[in-house]
Amino acid sequence: MKRVVITGMGVISPVGNDIKNFWENLTAGKNGVGLITRFDTSEQKVRVAAEVKDFDPTQYIEKTQVRKTDLYAQYAMAAAVQAMEDSGLEAGKNIDAQRLGVYVGSGTGGINTITEQCEKFFTSGPKHISPFLIPMMICNIASGNIAIRFDAQGVNLPVVTACATSTHAIGEAFHAIRYGYADAIISGGAEAAINKVGVAGFANCKALTTCEDPECACTPFDQRRSGFVMGEGAGIVVLEEYEHAKERGAHIYAEIVGYANTCDAHHITAPHPEAVGAQRAFSLALQEAGIKDISREKVYINAHGTSTPLNDRSETLAIKLALGKAAYDAYVSSTKSMTGHMLGAAGAVEAIACVMALKTGVIPPTIHYEQADENCDLNYVPNKATCAELTLALSDSLGFGGHNGCLAFRPFKD
């Protein structure tokens, strides 16, 4: 089996639109949550979200193409351009185009386009619907657009597993390279669902907090938690076969060493109360990573940590079941406390946080942590970043439908 490394990364997020700013703000504990500015919330139950700020799609996409592309796909392209520039890969020059793939997914796809075009249909009729409606709304178009942009003619698999989407996209890309189906894959996810329909839908299924104070709306693992805060953006990593990366002299951030994909098979939105599916995801990722004695590792877990009563409790249980006593020695933080829940983009953005923690030795905090919960009793790195020489980082994602995913990373060693 081949080794797989990370050679490029890109991000669009509520706390920064490139890796440098994203990481500086994340480790500084900057809050990306604020009052919603995209639409009038006077008739909505929810007033806060973590919006991307100061995003200019024309930095990455030709102006004439922007109106033909949904916002989620714009985010995806922007992060992909960053990641590919960072990696230095170029089809036909230092990689065979047929050995370069794209695995980029989205949980909701072009929900802004769907909302806008449905309104137009009901007010003006079918003749006024955009001819670009279908290619703008479908969940696979970001992956297709990125492949076209970079002439990636190899494997292409957009994953759709709700909040676990980009964790699964990266994991499946890892396996594809490991077993020889590609030399490199652009992988991750994107989401842009902060509109009046998306917010109302999540609010009405009781998933979102109705707290209107941005400073205490998102409180993962805290006793006050009352629902997640919607976020948006994109995270993209370039995974590459180690020998291929070595031969071209690529900069390597870290190595991906394990991945697992399980399902609770329990409920459409609620996690399994005994955390059996999430626990297996952790355990299987550790098994594939070759971890024989977890107590000998210095572990950071970037938790799913949504700030919902059920998730944070069951996720804590899953970590304890999988790691045993070593769970209490691990650093666990939820960067969603700063970025909000970026849905299909969350896993990739949080994987990037894991890679940066391994590379820099800085562990981002869980901000807004004030009141301990007896059911959430691990070290959640409260409020301030901390430093540690890590040997292993885990990122888990738990999606509606019972989808669980876990990725394992190690510092790169030649």
Side-chain angles (χ1 to χ4, degrees), residues 57-128:
T58 62
Q59 291 183 335
Y60 307 97
I61 305 167
E62 290 184 11
K63 190 173 182 179
T64 55
Q65 294 300 312
V66 170
R67 68 181 184 86
K68 303 174 184 178
T69 312
D70 189 86
L71 185 58
Y72 99 91
Q74 294 172 18
Y75 289 159
M77 183 62 77
V81 169
Q82 292 176 25
M84 285 296 280
E85 288 179 352
D86 188 27
S87 75
L89 276 176
E90 191 171 349
K93 292 190 176 180
N94 55 13
I95 187 169
D96 182 343
Q98 295 182 4
R99 299 286 295 173
L100 175 62
V102 184
Y103 282 24
V104 175
S106 175
T108 63
I111 192 170
N112 286 292
T113 297
I114 296 169
T115 301
E116 176 189 280
Q117 293 297 309
C118 282
E119 288 181 344
K120 189 175 291 187
F121 178 87
F122 291 120
T123 57
S124 303
K127 291 183 179 179
H128 295 273

